[in-house]
Amino acid sequence: MMSFSDFLRNRVLLVDFLAIIFGISSWISINGLWVELPVLVNQLPEGWSLPSYLSTIVQLANIGPISYSIFRALAPRSQTPQNIIILVLLVLGTGASLGLALGWKITSQIAGAERSTMLFVFVFLLSLVDCTSSVLFLPYMGLFRDVYLNSYLVGEGLSGFIPSIAALAQGVGGNPVCKNVTKDDGTISLQPVSEEPRFTAQDFFLFLMGMMILSLSAFVCLEWLPLARREKISGASLMGERRESKDSTESDSQSSRKNIQEEEVGGHHNSGGVLDTSDSQLVIPESDTEHGVPLLLFMLGAVCFLANGALPSIQSYSCLPYGNTVYHLVATLNAMANPLMAFFSMFVACKSKRIVCLLTGLSFLTTGYILATALTSPAPMWGELGGGLTVVAWVVVGALFSYVKVAIAGLCRDAGALFKCGVATQIGSACGALTAFLLVNQTTLFQEINRNDAVP
């Protein structure tokens, strides 16, 4: 476990801060959208199925990383304007955030049904930025010394934490209550009515735009501020550092074995000599890491299938049977678990593939309970107790998925496979969203309460 003094040694805190702020832009728009869904589902025509539409739109934006991957494969690496592409994406994200704030309520008729067209358009543009960040931002941070990667990942986690804090302050007004409502024709009927949140969805989206502006400024500083530029390393320097670290480990191990052998020959079995080699056993040899990359990428894809694609699509069905309050708590606390676990991983890093597999399996078991709550919708499981259990399950799953993703990113970094890591993230997320969209909208597995029904 790393001490705080070790953490501060040999790093520039300003670069850490800039990396965190830059990392916030990676998914803040989409994460902000998810935590705002408890407000949106009650105001937009798609109702409970809105998350499945948005998940699919987010994954359609994978045309961004696919296009960049093709460009990266065809163009010489030295001629790939990575920094300019990132700058353009952040500017696009800022503009799309403003458009979302101004036009999210505008709907139109499509195929005989009312749809949230402007919301879908601006969500697609924001998703284009966020999805492409998976194959651009991580490799860009690879240009800096390794100590700053976790700072970026903390920022990536904060992209869910910050909107969650704003959503908690906003509130959803509690569960609907029955009130007499006068219709346009003058008749009065009993209908479910929810109290208004403390501030509007437009104000929330403007706040997200402000965070995008901050992230854009942080990237400009990382790219052109002399202090930050000095923290970058060339490819040759990076290989040299890793080779030096590997040679140092092998040299220490050989020296320890030599001392042990000399002591055994002299008739002295010093246990201290054996203990001196324990530190080297904690370091995963580069060849072992490279050998396990396919397994790591498969687990990452499976985790993202659920965390980024399938589960967000069915979150409303899992939570709304217990009321708006449970849905609001799940959306916010689940998002807050992400950065907390990323920060935790900075001090308790996981370098064991076996532990990663164990945590992944545990997260899948908890996901089974969440799936059961969604399939039994709109009937709640376990009565009043089910609401609390659902909140706990979603928070635990969010924390486990976050820690697993950070651990796999660290192992892939050691193997020089950060780009593959980003590709696996997007493939898994896209497959999960497409699968969930088909199940939600083309089958009767997931049912919702008719919004016109009275609430007793």
Side-chain angles (χ1 to χ4, degrees):
M1 183 172 178
M2 182 188 299
S3 65
F4 189 69
S5 60
D6 293 334
F7 171 76
L8 294 177
R9 188 179 300 123
N10 198 28
R11 67 195 306 140
V12 178
L13 292 182
L14 176 61
V15 178
D16 280 300
F17 175 75
L18 293 175
I20 290 173
I21 301 299
F22 171 55
I24 289 175
S25 65
S26 59
W27 286 97
I28 190 169
S29 301
I30 302 307
N31 285 331
L33 188 68
W34 294 135
V35 298
E36 190 67 1
L37 280 177
V39 175
L40 300 182
V41 295
N42 292 321
Q43 301 186 40
L44 295 175
E46 290 77 13
W48 287 20
S49 63
L50 178 64
S52 66
Y53 282 92
L54 295 180
S55 291
T56 304
I57 291 172
V58 169
Q59 301 312 322
L60 288 176
N62 277 306
I63 188 175
I66 291 173
S67 300
Y68 174 73
S69 300
I70 295 174
F71 172 76
R72 186 175 182 267
L74 297 178
R77 188 70 55 85
S78 59
Q79 297 181 11
T80 303
Q82 187 181 51
N83 55 345
I84 301 301
I85 296 176
I86 293 176
L87 183 63
V88 170
L89 282 176
L90 292 176
V91 172
L92 174 63
T94 302
S97 297
L98 178 60
L100 181 64
L102 299 178
W104 70 273
K105 269 189 173 182
I106 300 176
T107 62
S108 60
Q109 291 287 328
I110 298 178
E114 189 177 7
R115 298 299 179 194
S116 307
T117 48
M118 295 308 295
L119 175 73
F120 293 164
V121 168
F122 289 114
V123 166
F124 175 78
L125 294 177
L126 290 170
S127 302
L128 195 66
V129 176
D130 292 0
C131 291
T132 310
S133 72
S134 295
V135 295
L136 265 174
F137 291 8
L138 271 175
Y140 176 78
M141 289 308 301
L143 300 177
F144 291 83
R145 293 173 49 238
D146 287 351
V147 293
Y148 298 111
L149 179 62
N150 271 355
S151 299
Y152 167 81
L153 293 174
V154 168
E156 191 176 85
L158 286 175
S159 67
F161 183 83
I162 292 175
S164 298
I165 295 297
L168 284 175
Q170 179 187 30
V172 290
N175 296 325
V177 295
C178 287
K179 293 184 179 180
N180 289 323
V181 177
T182 303
K183 296 183 178 180
D184 295 336
D185 58 3
T187 61
I188 299 177
S189 64
L190 193 66
Q191 292 186 5
V193 177
S194 298
E195 297 180 7
E196 293 295 325
R198 296 184 183 90
F199 53 87
T200 65
Q202 181 180 16
D203 296 331
F204 182 84
F205 291 138
L206 287 174
F207 167 75
L208 297 184
M209 184 189 71
M211 296 305 303
M212 284 295 297
I213 293 174
L214 286 179
S215 295
L216 172 60
S217 303
F219 171 73
V220 170
C221 292
L222 281 173
E223 181 62 24
W224 286 285
L225 190 68
L227 179 63
R229 291 174 66 90
R230 286 196 291 269
E231 293 301 299
K232 289 186 177 182
I233 54 177
S234 64
S237 299
L238 178 61
M239 292 303 296
E241 283 187 6
R242 289 179 175 172
R243 188 179 299 111
E244 181 181 353
S245 175
K246 181 180 179 182
D247 292 343
S248 175
T249 300
E250 292 176 351
S251 176
D252 291 344
S253 179
Q254 292 173 358
S255 176
S256 299
R257 286 195 298 267
K258 181 178 179 181
N259 291 337
I260 294 171
Q261 291 172 354
E262 290 175 350
E263 289 166 357
E264 288 177 347
V265 170
H268 302 286
H269 300 278
N270 187 350
S271 60
V274 177
L275 292 175
D276 287 342
T277 65
S278 60
D279 289 342
S280 65
Q281 295 173 1
L282 298 176
V283 180
I284 296 179
E286 190 172 353
S287 59
D288 290 347
T289 304
E290 291 176 348
H291 179 73
V293 164
L295 174 61
L296 293 173
L297 295 179
F298 175 78
M299 287 191 295
L300 180 62
V303 165
C304 291
F305 178 96
L306 296 171
N308 302 340
L311 290 185
S313 300
I314 64 171
Q315 192 175 69
S316 56
Y317 295 92
S318 172
C319 305
L320 278 175
Y322 307 99
N324 288 342
T325 302
V326 168
Y327 188 14
H328 183 58
L329 287 174
V330 165
T332 52
L333 296 180
N334 176 267
M336 291 172 67
N338 192 327
L340 292 177
M341 293 305 295
F343 184 76
F344 175 75
S345 68
M346 295 180 68
F347 300 94
V348 184
C350 178
K351 292 293 185 179
S352 169
K353 292 191 291 290
R354 183 174 299 177
I355 294 178
V356 171
C357 291
L358 178 63
L359 294 177
T360 302
L362 182 60
S363 65
F364 288 169
L365 289 177
T366 312
T367 300
Y369 175 79
I370 291 175
L371 181 61
T373 62
L375 289 172
T376 56
S377 175
M381 291 179 60
W382 307 105
E384 295 181 359
L385 180 62
L389 292 176
T390 300
V391 173
V392 171
W394 276 95
V395 173
V396 169
V397 161
L400 289 174
F401 280 159
S402 175
Y403 190 76
V404 166
K405 286 189 286 186
V406 172
I408 292 177
L411 293 172
C412 288
R413 175 200 61 199
D414 295 340
L418 281 178
F419 180 78
K420 294 179 181 179
C421 183
V423 172
T425 296
Q426 294 310 119
I427 291 177
S429 302
C431 293
L434 178 60
T435 301
F437 178 82
L438 294 176
L439 292 177
V440 168
N441 296 285
Q442 302 300 322
T443 72
T444 58
L445 288 175
F446 302 96
Q447 300 290 329
E448 67 175 287
I449 298 175
N450 191 318
R451 66 175 65 190
N452 295 321
D453 291 344
V455 177

